[in-house]
Amino acid sequence: MSGLGERGRGLGERASAERRSSGSWGEVRPFSIKTKLGALVVISVLITTGLSMIAVHTKTELRFITVFSMIATLLITQFVAHSLTAPLDEMNAVARSIWHGDYTRRVRDDRRDELGDLAQTINLMADELEAQDRQRKELVANVSHELRTPIAGLRAVLENVVDGVSEADPETMRTALKQTERLGRLVETLLDLSRLDNGVVPLRRRRFEVWPYLSGVLKEANMVASARADLASGSGGGHTRTDVHLHLDVSPPELTAHADPERIHQVVANLIDNAVKHSPPHGRVTVRARRGDHPESLALEVLDEGPGIPESEWHRVFERFNRGRVPAPHGPGSDGGTGLGLAIARWAVDLHGGRIGVAESQRGCRIQVILPGLPSLPS
């Protein structure tokens, strides 16, 4: 639920990049710990040799030279040891703070040796843990809010029936059913996200024809909307508006793709649901499919005629529980949803190794999905 897999991959990639960058000097980095220790040995030998030569020329007793040599070597060793252990003590203190749940402390990373690389890695880890902790708290708060709304509505209806304020007539029961359906869809959506996060949703890729497949998805979306329109229920799994026209554009008509049809159904259904909710009355939503750059790859687009998404919000569109800053959705039977549909679409696309994002559009919003198709064969 907290996106640990994605963040873990990001941390690993950044750490690998840091290692590649720092490793460009190989084994002879001028400021590495190995260089410093080697310099310590060389300096100690030079001091001892120099004092021995002085003793020979000045006829000084060897014991005095030995004492002076040991003192000088110990002073230099102490200086080098302090420069190595001081940052380790700081890292230990920061690590203990992270262990106790304080993710705000950071290690100074201005060194140009292996300890500097370690400090940067610790700071990256602290950044990721702090972001995960913040996301976890936001997730708990948002889920609590989303669950509270239908539960409160259902409780109010049932209390009125129990107290005799209202009769258990079909209209009252329909209201209770409406809240129960919304609660069930929200829980089902959360379970989908949990399965995706934990990697327990296997991909069953196969080749399929795009036109009949997408035509079936659009027909199903219309059927669900018609069946639920009389309930006007808050959704998270299907829109309830019947005034928006769905249009399918596939070229060429014989276009085929290689993917998991069930996961792609989630992607397209959630994108349609989002587009319909934000369409103006009697608007038009277009699902467009084209051939990708690789064999059996697919380029999908879902376009609507709504208010669109500000470019500053594009990077946040697929975050969980994000509803953006667009005013209330248009038309009867439309609501803001739960903010989870696009997050599910993103994860389903990521499972395929594809890309999803907001693209430029002269009108409304345009979501673009790229599916890689058949895996590349090694050359």
Side-chain angles (χ1 to χ4, degrees), residues 30-334:
F31 299 100
S32 69
I33 294 177
K34 290 182 179 180
T35 303
K36 292 177 181 179
L37 293 177
L40 172 63
V41 174
V42 171
I43 292 174
S44 300
V45 172
L46 289 178
I47 290 175
T48 303
T49 304
L51 290 177
S52 300
M53 295 178 64
I54 292 174
V56 171
H57 287 83
T58 61
K59 298 181 179 181
T60 306
E61 292 187 13
L62 185 61
R63 59 181 179 179
F64 293 115
I65 296 300
T66 302
V67 171
F68 290 148
S69 175
M70 292 178 60
I71 292 175
T73 302
L74 288 175
L75 290 175
I76 297 175
T77 302
Q78 178 65 21
F79 174 77
V80 175
H82 176 75
S83 69
L84 296 179
T85 58
L88 290 176
D89 292 337
E90 182 185 7
M91 293 177 192
N92 184 47
V94 172
R96 287 183 177 273
S97 298
I98 294 175
W99 177 47
H100 289 293
D102 179 10
Y103 306 114
T104 59
R105 295 189 59 182
R106 296 294 183 272
V107 184
R108 288 180 299 175
D109 56 358
D110 52 352
R111 298 175 61 98
R112 298 180 60 187
D113 55 12
E114 290 84 351
L115 292 178
D117 296 341
L118 179 58
Q120 292 178 0
T121 302
I122 291 177
N123 289 339
L124 283 174
M125 180 186 68
D127 291 340
E128 296 296 330
L129 290 174
E130 184 179 16
Q132 290 173 18
D133 184 64
R134 182 174 59 252
Q135 187 183 48
R136 177 182 58 82
K137 293 177 180 177
E138 292 176 354
L139 180 65
V140 172
N142 286 325
V143 169
S144 300
H145 172 75
E146 292 297 334
L147 292 175
R148 184 176 58 211
T149 302
I151 290 176
L154 180 60
R155 179 179 179 180
V157 172
L158 296 179
E159 283 181 347
N160 288 338
V161 173
V162 172
D163 295 339
V165 177
S166 61
E167 298 292 333
D169 53 23
E171 184 64 29
T172 303
M173 292 297 98
R174 188 178 295 113
T175 303
L177 178 61
K178 174 177 61 178
Q179 299 298 336
T180 305
E181 284 187 344
R182 181 176 184 181
L183 181 61
R185 284 193 295 273
L186 176 60
V187 172
E188 183 178 346
T189 303
L190 291 173
L191 288 175
D192 282 342
L193 276 179
S194 178
R195 296 188 190 102
L196 290 170
D197 279 352
N198 294 327
V200 298
V201 180
L203 284 180
R204 296 180 174 87
R205 302 174 189 254
R206 65 177 178 83
R207 182 177 177 271
F208 60 90
E209 296 183 8
V210 176
W211 174 272
Y213 172 76
L214 291 180
S215 179
V217 176
L218 266 65
K219 288 180 181 178
E220 181 178 332
N222 279 325
M223 291 174 59
V224 171
S226 299
R228 291 176 177 167
D230 58 338
L231 294 177
S233 60
S235 67
H239 65 86
T240 59
R241 294 181 57 185
T242 58
D243 63 311
V244 178
H245 174 65
L246 302 183
H247 175 69
L248 180 60
D249 177 13
V250 178
S251 180
E254 67 275 8
L255 180 63
T256 60
H258 187 268
D260 184 334
E262 184 176 351
R263 297 299 130 218
I264 302 306
H265 185 285
Q266 280 185 302
V267 174
V268 178
N270 280 305
L271 292 181
I272 291 176
D273 180 53
N274 184 74
V276 169
K277 286 174 182 174
H278 294 89
S279 292
H282 307 288
R284 178 188 181 98
V285 171
T286 301
V287 179
R288 182 179 299 161
R290 297 290 186 269
R291 182 176 286 113
D293 297 331
H294 305 286
E296 303 292 340
S297 62
L298 184 64
L300 282 172
E301 291 183 350
V302 178
L303 306 91
D304 63 55
E305 299 176 341
I309 302 173
E311 189 170 354
S312 60
E313 295 290 315
W314 285 7
H315 66 289
R316 300 187 63 239
V317 166
F318 300 97
E319 293 180 1
R320 298 168 190 187
F321 297 101
N322 175 59
R323 295 184 179 90
R325 300 178 182 177
V326 178
H330 307 273
S334 177

